[in-house]
């Protein structure tokens, strides 16, 4: 039976689905409704002792729940409509937001109902609920919760004038059940010791504004600082003692906040003291309530920020003299209302990038530090070195500046000059210029390790000498698979050893230990990674600042050829690895319990949903699967199995890819092929492809409907990205034909973004494919080169000269390369029907690139359809649009590769009907 496509609108689309879903629901076939209902595990939480896990179970569309499970027994709870679960540190309570049912959201349209909060007693199973909850905060000991409500309608209207107006907070003692109502709370915070709760208020009159502290032991509140029409913010507690820092700033009549002062309150003092007044600050800078405060772990220092004075004053209203006469012919007054941006050749940023980065630059904080034990402060950052990397080291921090290289960002990449900054006096010492890579400061301040020019280097902060760590080692420490025209990156630092006197650094496969004083290097995995093609990486489950000499550490392992995962161990000063666990699966570490050795992790494969498992310790000898979602995949659907395939590219390069066959695969039968790709995909052999309604095909949906899915790797060449993609991919498809898997008359190609470009190009070079879907492609590199990536505001030139597009030269230097790699110039060669998709609010690839491809193919009478989705970015966001596209791409392949259906939109198109 052929099904005629009825969907002329979203309403028609839904009607079509309802009417014909039974016809699509053949045994074992994954339908669009199945995809929408498919549940996933999100936001897994592990309790402090590892006795409980909590996680969200939500479908692609519809309502979900929170599931709470004991890791040792069968106790289990569910919180319907729950999300973002949190387990208290004492393992007594679980909190989760209660979401509004989707049906109610759809019915409500503009006046959306507000979410609530649920909390479950893990001992009794009793649940309590609170309505209209904007946010909540838990004390570290798990005994208190502060719940912040949404503003009432009346208060919401007043907030249009005074955005800082507070809303009600309910403070609950979870052990006794006592509740305290706090009105007009603008900000709040529990201290780290769980002894105090601080909250600031901003009321409608401004008369009751203040900062208060609630004593959690005595359950009473005291005023710390109160002043009419004053704004208290940035409440920050010391990590180890009952004291807090905050900012205090007056309002003016327009509810604008003036310059602030930085203050400190200690529990053993009745009043707060001022640390820094606005008058103490250099006139070019301002201490404002736009701030970020942070105590060091030892409590000796407090970091805070200053704004540039010019930026801090931007937007402040001037007095309006309503009696002033208006001269309607005043050129100055008229021109003041102009709407224009001036683009100058010497601008550090192009105008679009200026606009996109405006808010972050306006609110940029120049880091300063207050020495609490010395009672003085130092400004560390300024316009000459605007960035500081805050850490908890004893005497120095790293600073950096990208400003000298901002113009080059347009066509090159980002670079920084790096400095050692003395916390005591602000003195800075530049140790490297124009660095494109990362820097790492040792915990003891003695060294900085950084990557540059394909090698790792160490800077000694005392001797101020720099030496290379890896230049004399034959093993490459640069990325061996790098195929971009940019500087080759490294594989990263794996951690510090012995307080920072040694460092662990990765090559592609192994981990090396470098003594930073002597420079001695030891391969602690003994080269076994490179020998076996197994990639070892260090795990830091406890988030340690550094490892100890001789310590045994856990390694993750990934086999670069077999694509399987596992866990190994090694010793810091040892040489060699010990296998702990390795299977033809993918393992992902989620968390280690804070107060026990238990480890939460996921195990998955293409045909195994990534459920949650618990190991008793890092030996992984005693493990248990805790969640049990989708254990019947292969019973419900013809899900398929994934396997590796290899071939040689046209230039003889060894290539790998994945083929996914139906469970009822018949070796005597040839199948339609749906090829999907980007760059490297063979590393996803054991990835579970979660069904989602979006711009990507759902692999199991196609496999269950009698397709074979092909996921090939692509290896690129600088200056020839399109040709490199063609010579990588086409021989892989031919290999499937030779193997008797593929029907050579039923070959489909699908790509989005960068692979959308590859798809558009490949069909200009070969007629092997019978249908192609190209999502958000670049079609004309000559016009795209000087376009804008609107989401970032950056010019697209850097992408072609240095990164993904891989041309390696400018349009002026090599116009022929831009033409040769642009499918629009070869549209007359295309014989493959092509479906193009693009959102017309795409901030990454200008949507007119798809228009160019459509017009070029149309000019030469090629089989082309263009789907323009209104107001959509690079990846479709609106669910009706995502579903529409998913249905159309499936129908497109079914029509051209299987001869099924005769959809009117493919045969005749759809006329514009006024919307």
């Amino acid at each position: 039976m052929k099904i005629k496509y009825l969907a002329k609108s979203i309403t028609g689309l839904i009607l079509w689905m309802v009417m014909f879903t039974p016809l699509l629901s053949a045994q074992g076939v994954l339908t669009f409704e199945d995809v929408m209902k498919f549940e996933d595990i999100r936001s897994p939480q592990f309790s402090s002792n590892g006795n409980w896990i909590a996680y969200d179970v939500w479908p692609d569309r519809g309502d979900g729940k929170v599931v709470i499970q004991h890791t040792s027994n069968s106790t289990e709870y569910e919180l319907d409509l729950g999300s973002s679960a949190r387990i208290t540190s004492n393992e007594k309570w679980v909190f989760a937001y209660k979401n509004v049912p989707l049906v109610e959201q759809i019915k409500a349209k503009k006046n959306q109902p507000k979410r609530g909060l649920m909390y479950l007693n893990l001992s009794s199973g009793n649940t309590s609920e609170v309505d209209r909850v904007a946010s909540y905060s838990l004390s570290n000991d798990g005994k208190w919760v502060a719940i912040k409500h949404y503003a009432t309608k009346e208060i919401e209207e007043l907030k249009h004038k005074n955005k800082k107006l507070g809303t009600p907070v309910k403070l609950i003692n979870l052990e006794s059940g006592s509740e305290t109502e706090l009105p007009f709370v603008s900000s709040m915070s529990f201290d780290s010791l769980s002894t105090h709760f601080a909250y600031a208020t901003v009321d409608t009159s401004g008369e009751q504004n203040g900062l208060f502290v609630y004593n959690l032991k005595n359950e009473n509140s005291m005023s710390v600082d109160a002043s009419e029409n004053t704004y208290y913010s940035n409440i920050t507690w010391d990590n180890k003692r009952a004291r807090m820092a905050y900012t205090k700033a007056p309002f003016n009549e327009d509810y604008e906040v003036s310059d602030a002062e930085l203050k400190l309150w200690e529990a053993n003092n009745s009043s707060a003291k001022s640390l820094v007044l606005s008058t103490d600050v250099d006139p070019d800078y301002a201490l404002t309530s736009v701030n970020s405060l942070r105590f060091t772990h030892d409590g000796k220092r407090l970091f805070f920020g200053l704004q540039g004075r010019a930026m801090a004053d931007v937007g402040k209203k001037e007095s309006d003299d309503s009696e002033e006469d208006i001269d309607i012919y005043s050129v100055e007054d008229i021109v003041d209302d102009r709407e224009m941006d001036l683009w100058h050749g010497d601008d550090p940023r192009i105008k679009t990038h200026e606009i996109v980065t405006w808010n972050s630059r306006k609110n940029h904080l120049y880091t300063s530090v207050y020495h609490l034990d010395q009672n003085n402060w130092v400004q560390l950052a300024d316009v000459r070195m605007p960035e500081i990397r805050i850490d908890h080291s004893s005497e120095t921090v790293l600073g950096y500046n990208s400003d000298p290289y901002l113009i080059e960002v347009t066509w090159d990449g980002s670079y920084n000059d790096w400095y050692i900054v003395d916390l005591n006096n602000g003195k800075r010492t530049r140790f490297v210029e124009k660095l494109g890579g990362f820097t790492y400061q040792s915990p003891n301040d003695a060294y900085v390790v950084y990557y540059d020019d394909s090698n790792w280097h160490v800077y000694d902060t005392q001797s101020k000498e720099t030496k290379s760590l890896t230049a004399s080692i034959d093993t490459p420490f640069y990325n061996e698979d790098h195929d971009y025209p940019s500087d080759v990156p490294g594989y990263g630092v794996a951690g510090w050893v012995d307080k920072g006197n040694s460092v662990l650094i990765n090559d592609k496969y192994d981990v090396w230990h470098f003594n930073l004083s002597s420079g001695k290097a030891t391969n602690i995995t003994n080269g076994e990674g490179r020998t076996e093609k197994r990639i070892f990486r260090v795990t830091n489950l406890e988030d340690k600042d550094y490892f100890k000499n001789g310590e045994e550490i856990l390694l993750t392992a990934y086999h670069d050829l077999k694509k399987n995962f596992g866990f190994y161990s090694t010793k810091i000063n040892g040489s060699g690895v010990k296998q702990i666990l390795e299977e033809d699966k993918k393992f992902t570490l989620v968390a280690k319990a804070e107060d026990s050795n238990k480890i939460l992790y996921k195990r998955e494969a293409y045909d195994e949903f990534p459920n949650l498992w618990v190991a008793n310790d890092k030996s992984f000898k005693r493990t248990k699967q805790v969640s049990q979602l989708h254990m019947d995949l292969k019973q419900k659907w013809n899900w398929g199995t994934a396997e590796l395939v290899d071939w040689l590219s046209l230039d003889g390069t060894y290539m790998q890819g994945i083929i996914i066959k139906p469970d009822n695969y018949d070796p005597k039968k040839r199948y339609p092929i749906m090829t999907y790709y980007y760059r490297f995909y063979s590393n996803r052999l054991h990835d579970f492809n979660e069904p989602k309604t979006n711009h990507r095909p759902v692999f199991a949906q196609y496999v269950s409907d009698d397709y074979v899915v092909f996921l090939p790797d692509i290896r690129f060449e600088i200056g020839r990205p399109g040709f490199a993609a063609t010579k990588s991919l086409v021989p892989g498809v031919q290999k499937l034909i030779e193997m008797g898997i593929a029907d050579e008359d039923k070959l489909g190609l699908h790509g989005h973004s960068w692979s959308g470009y590859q798809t558009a190009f490949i069909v200009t070079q070969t007629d092997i494919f019978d249908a192609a879907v190209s999502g958000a492609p670049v079609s004309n590199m000559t016009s795209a080169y000087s376009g804008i990536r609107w989401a970032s505001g950056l010019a697209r030139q850097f992408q072609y000269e240095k990164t993904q597009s891989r041309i390696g030269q400018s349009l002026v230097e090599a116009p022929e390369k831009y033409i040769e790699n642009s499918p629009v110039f070869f549209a007359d060669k295309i014989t493959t029907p092509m479906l193009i998709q693009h959102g017309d609010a795409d901030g990454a690839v200008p949507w007119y690139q798809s228009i160019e491809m459509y017009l070029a193919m149309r000019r030469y009478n090629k089989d082309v359809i263009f789907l323009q989705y209104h107001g959509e970015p690079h990846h479709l966001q609106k669910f009706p649009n995502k579903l529409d596209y998913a249905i159309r791409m499936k129908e497109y392949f079914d029509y051209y590769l299987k001869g099924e259906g005769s959809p009117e939109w493919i045969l005749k198109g759809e006329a514009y009907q006024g919307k």
Side-chain angles (χ1 to χ4, degrees):
M1 176 182 179
K2 291 185 177 181
I3 301 172
K4 189 175 182 180
Y5 189 80
L6 302 176
K8 300 291 185 183
S9 65
I10 292 302
T11 303
L13 180 63
I14 295 172
L15 176 63
W16 181 89
M17 287 186 59
V18 171
M19 292 174 62
F20 293 104
T21 292
L23 297 176
L24 293 177
S25 299
Q27 181 63 39
V29 176
L30 189 70
T31 68
F32 290 105
E33 184 176 340
D34 291 331
V35 172
M36 287 189 282
K37 290 180 176 179
F38 196 90
E39 293 178 325
D40 183 29
I41 289 177
R42 307 174 189 170
S43 306
Q45 299 291 308
F46 206 23
S47 66
S48 56
N49 280 304
N51 294 315
W52 294 91
I53 61 169
Y55 52 93
D56 302 358
V57 177
W58 280 74
D60 188 31
R61 182 171 174 82
D63 300 326
K65 61 190 175 185
V66 161
V67 176
I68 304 104
Q69 291 178 282
H70 199 281
T71 59
S72 299
N73 60 46
S74 59
T75 306
E76 181 175 324
Y77 302 105
E78 293 184 358
L79 298 175
D80 289 337
L81 299 172
S83 67
S84 304
R86 289 180 62 191
I87 308 171
T88 58
S89 59
N90 56 9
E91 297 190 333
K92 291 184 177 181
W93 303 87
V94 174
F95 283 77
Y97 287 112
K98 184 176 183 180
N99 296 276
V100 178
L102 181 58
V103 170
E104 292 184 23
Q105 295 179 46
I106 294 171
K107 288 179 179 178
K109 296 182 179 178
K110 290 185 178 180
N111 298 318
Q112 285 290 315
K114 303 297 186 183
R115 69 184 178 187
L117 183 70
M118 301 177 284
Y119 52 105
L120 168 75
N121 185 314
L122 287 171
S123 297
S124 66
N126 294 331
T127 303
S128 301
E129 296 188 13
V130 182
D131 293 330
R132 297 177 56 82
V133 175
S135 63
Y136 71 97
S137 181
L138 293 169
S139 63
N140 283 348
D141 63 4
K143 297 179 180 180
W144 291 84
V145 62
I147 301 171
K148 200 170 198 301
H149 292 278
Y150 285 105
T152 61
K153 184 178 180 181
E154 293 76 18
I155 296 298
E156 194 63 48
E157 291 174 355
L158 292 172
K159 282 175 74 70
H160 290 298
K161 187 175 182 181
N162 182 3
K163 292 182 172 59
K164 294 178 172 59
L165 200 62
T167 57
V169 164
K170 181 182 290 185
L171 184 63
I172 303 175
N173 184 326
L174 294 170
E175 293 189 334
S176 68
S178 65
E179 299 182 1
T180 303
E181 301 287 345
L182 306 171
F184 297 111
V185 175
S186 56
S187 60
M188 61 186 188
S189 178
F190 286 102
D191 75 335
S192 57
L193 304 176
S194 301
T195 58
H196 295 86
F197 172 73
Y199 62 99
T201 59
V202 178
D203 76 346
T204 52
S205 68
E207 297 176 357
Q208 302 299 316
N209 292 6
L211 178 64
F212 304 87
V213 168
Y214 189 94
N215 189 310
L216 300 177
K217 304 300 181 185
N218 302 330
E219 299 198 23
N220 55 43
S221 186
M222 65 171 287
S223 173
V224 168
D225 203 337
S227 186
E228 187 176 350
N229 294 326
T230 300
Y231 182 54
Y232 298 88
S233 57
N234 300 296
I235 300 170
T236 305
W237 289 96
D238 191 336
N239 295 294
K240 294 184 177 180
R241 64 202 76 186
R243 65 176 178 180
M244 71 173 166
Y246 63 95
T247 57
K248 175 183 180 180
F251 284 130
N252 63 19
E253 63 274 11
D254 294 312
Y255 298 102
E256 293 173 338
V257 178
S258 303
D259 288 0
E261 59 180 303
L262 178 64
K263 303 195 73 174
L264 182 74
W265 175 85
E266 298 187 68
N268 56 1
N269 291 329
S270 57
S271 60
K273 69 174 182 178
S274 295
L275 298 180
V276 183
L277 301 175
S278 58
T279 53
D280 298 334
V281 177
D282 184 295
D284 290 336
Y285 299 88
L287 174 59
T288 70
S289 59
V290 177
N291 225 302
S292 176
L293 312 183
R294 187 188 304 181
F295 285 94
T296 53
H297 291 329
D298 60 13
K300 293 182 179 180
R301 296 184 176 98
L302 173 67
F303 289 101
F304 64 100
L306 303 175
Q307 278 187 279
R309 169 60 65 184
M311 289 295 194
D313 290 340
V314 168
K316 288 189 176 179
K317 298 176 184 176
E318 297 180 1
S319 59
D320 181 21
D321 186 358
S322 58
E323 300 299 321
E324 184 182 354
D325 291 336
I326 297 175
D327 181 358
I328 64 172
Y329 299 107
S330 168
V331 172
E332 183 179 352
D333 289 346
I334 295 170
V335 173
D336 275 347
D337 292 330
R338 68 187 178 275
E339 296 175 346
M340 182 271 291
D341 291 319
L342 192 153
W343 297 49
H344 195 285
D346 292 334
D347 288 341
R349 297 176 176 86
I350 61 173
K351 199 59 59 178
T352 48
H353 193 215
E354 272 193 271
I355 293 169
V356 169
T357 60
W358 166 248
N359 283 332
S360 63
R361 289 185 296 110
K362 180 181 184 300
N363 296 323
H364 178 77
L365 294 175
Y366 295 93
T367 302
S368 303
V369 62
Y370 195 97
H371 298 276
L372 294 164
D373 53 351
Q374 301 171 20
N375 202 30
N376 62 30
W377 69 278
V378 179
Q379 182 174 338
L380 303 174
D382 55 27
V383 293
R384 300 184 306 278
M385 189 201 67
E387 306 289 349
I388 289 289
R389 185 187 289 171
I390 294 176
D391 64 22
H392 299 272
S393 61
S394 57
E395 299 297 333
T396 63
V397 291
L398 295 183
Y400 56 101
N401 182 20
S402 63
D403 289 354
Y405 316 108
L406 283 177
I407 289 179
E408 297 173 54
V409 169
T410 303
W411 61 85
D412 195 350
S414 58
Y415 299 96
N416 291 289
D417 293 340
W418 285 87
Y419 302 80
I420 296 289
V421 183
D422 191 313
L423 289 174
N424 294 301
N425 53 30
K427 181 181 178 181
R428 58 190 67 154
T429 303
R430 186 170 59 189
F431 62 90
V432 64
E433 298 180 46
K434 201 176 182 181
L435 183 68
F438 295 103
T439 61
Y440 305 83
Q441 186 177 20
S442 64
N444 60 5
D445 291 352
Y447 303 99
V448 179
V449 170
Y450 64 91
Y451 177 88
D452 187 33
D453 195 24
S454 300
N455 278 291
W456 287 95
H457 308 268
V458 58
Y459 172 75
D460 188 315
T461 61
Q462 296 301 312
S463 68
K464 295 181 173 49
E465 294 180 352
T466 300
K467 62 183 178 183
S468 175
L469 293 171
T470 57
S472 62
I473 300 175
D474 291 336
T475 301
F477 284 82
Y478 54 82
N479 190 312
E480 298 177 43
D481 297 307
H482 189 73
D483 53 14
Y484 300 89
S486 59
D487 294 337
V488 184
Y491 290 100
V493 163
W496 295 98
V497 180
D498 185 26
K499 299 182 180 180
N501 290 314
S502 300
V503 67
L504 301 175
I505 297 178
N506 300 318
D507 69 23
K508 179 176 180 178
Y509 297 102
D510 292 294
V511 183
W512 295 68
H513 178 205
F514 290 88
N515 183 299
L516 296 177
S517 176
S518 66
K520 180 183 177 182
T522 305
N523 187 326
I524 65 172
T525 50
N526 199 31
E528 293 180 42
R530 187 166 294 273
T531 300
E532 299 293 330
K533 302 302 179 190
R534 187 175 281 110
I535 296 172
F536 292 117
R537 291 296 179 258
V538 173
T539 66
N540 189 355
L541 289 171
E542 298 175 271
D543 196 25
K544 297 178 178 179
D545 291 335
Y546 57 87
F547 298 102
K548 296 177 182 178
N549 278 314
E551 182 176 346
E552 186 173 25
I553 56 176
L554 181 67
L555 303 171
T556 59
Y558 164 71
H559 201 291
D560 200 29
L561 295 179
K562 298 178 182 178
K563 316 301 177 184
N564 63 326
F565 292 76
F567 298 112
Y568 283 67
S569 68
T570 189
K571 290 188 176 181
I572 293 294
N573 295 330
S575 184
V577 296
K578 180 173 66 176
Q579 185 186 103
I580 297 173
L581 173 66
E582 189 168 41
E583 297 179 27
D584 286 334
K585 306 285 183 183
K586 180 178 180 179
F587 299 99
T588 305
L589 293 170
V590 176
K592 177 190 173 295
E594 187 174 346
D595 298 324
S596 78
N597 293 322
K598 292 181 180 179
I599 295 171
L600 182 65
Y601 66 101
K602 291 182 179 181
R603 192 185 85 173
E604 66 185 285
Y606 168 76
D607 54 1
E608 179 182 336
F609 180 82
N611 275 296
L612 294 166
W613 291 64
V614 171
N616 270 29
D617 54 42
K618 62 183 180 181
S619 72
F620 288 83
K621 291 180 179 178
R622 294 174 57 194
T623 63
K624 177 183 178 182
Q625 180 179 343
V626 184
S627 67
Q628 303 284 333
L629 210 60
H630 300 301
M631 300 298 291
D632 57 351
L633 280 178
K634 296 176 97 55
Q635 286 72 46
K636 292 178 69 173
W637 297 293
N638 187 351
W639 198 266
T641 55
E643 60 187 66
L644 281 175
V645 62
D646 56 54
W647 66 95
L648 298 179
S649 72
L650 289 179
D651 61 4
T653 301
Y654 179 74
M655 306 292 298
Q656 287 184 296
I658 301 168
I659 50 173
I660 308 172
K661 300 176 181 176
D663 289 326
N664 60 347
Y665 175 76
D666 183 353
K668 298 179 181 179
K669 175 182 173 180
R670 289 182 176 266
Y671 288 79
I673 303 295
M674 199 283 289
T675 299
Y676 188 75
Y677 62 112
Y678 198 86
R679 188 189 179 206
F680 295 146
Y681 253 66
S682 63
N683 57 357
R684 305 186 184 196
L685 175 65
H686 297 297
D687 281 18
F688 180 81
N689 180 247
E690 181 193 347
K692 284 278 189 183
T693 306
N694 57 26
H695 61 280
R696 301 181 182 91
V698 175
F699 301 155
Q701 185 175 30
Y702 282 78
V703 169
S704 70
D705 199 22
D706 220 28
Y707 284 81
V708 167
V709 171
F710 179 42
L711 311 174
D713 286 343
I714 305 293
R715 291 193 177 271
F716 292 100
E717 292 178 27
I718 296 170
R720 291 165 50 91
F723 296 104
T726 305
K727 71 180 184 181
S728 294
L729 188 148
V730 172
V733 175
Q734 292 171 328
K735 177 68 175 288
L736 301 189
I737 296 172
E738 294 168 7
M739 294 172 68
I741 297 171
D743 186 327
E744 61 183 349
D745 296 320
K746 298 178 180 180
L747 302 176
L749 186 63
H750 189 303
H752 186 87
S753 190
W754 178 233
S755 59
Y757 154 73
Q758 294 173 68
T759 295
F761 185 88
I762 287 171
V763 297
T764 69
Q765 306 298 305
T766 178
D767 62 359
I768 194 174
F769 294 102
D770 301 285
V773 175
S774 175
V778 164
S779 63
N780 183 353
M781 289 191 176
T782 68
S783 61
Y785 171 78
S786 288
I788 301 293
R789 294 180 68 95
W790 295 104
S792 66
L794 292 170
R796 296 179 56 80
Q797 293 173 353
F798 78 94
Q799 180 176 329
Y800 295 88
E801 295 190 40
K802 288 291 184 178
T803 62
Q804 189 177 64
S805 298
R806 295 174 172 86
I807 298 300
Q809 293 173 281
S810 72
L811 181 59
V812 173
E813 294 167 334
E816 72 285 351
K817 291 184 180 179
Y818 285 80
I819 294 171
E820 290 170 357
N821 285 282
S822 297
V824 73
F825 292 106
F826 308 99
D828 60 323
K829 309 296 183 185
I830 297 174
T831 61
T832 304
M834 187 155 71
L835 175 67
I836 304 170
Q837 177 268 319
H838 220 132
D840 59 19
D842 193 326
V845 178
W847 78 285
Y848 53 73
Q849 286 292 310
S850 286
I851 295 176
E852 290 193 42
M853 194 68 204
Y854 164 78
L855 291 176
M857 291 184 69
R858 187 174 182 270
R859 167 66 177 80
Y860 290 100
N861 197 31
K862 302 301 179 180
D863 191 338
V864 62
I865 295 174
F866 175 30
L867 306 178
Q868 172 198 348
Y869 287 97
H870 299 173
E872 288 281 22
H874 192 54
H875 301 118
L876 300 178
Q877 298 298 309
K878 301 169 187 175
F879 200 89
N881 291 340
K882 292 192 291 184
L883 180 58
D884 179 79
Y885 180 41
I887 291 174
R888 290 181 192 270
M889 74 170 83
K890 180 68 164 55
E891 284 195 322
Y892 196 77
F893 283 129
D894 284 351
Y895 178 74
Y896 282 104
L897 303 187
K898 298 174 73 176
E900 294 180 359
S902 52
E904 285 190 11
W905 67 274
I906 295 179
L907 301 175
K908 299 180 180 179
E910 292 179 359
Y912 178 71
Q913 296 181 347
K915 63 176 182 178

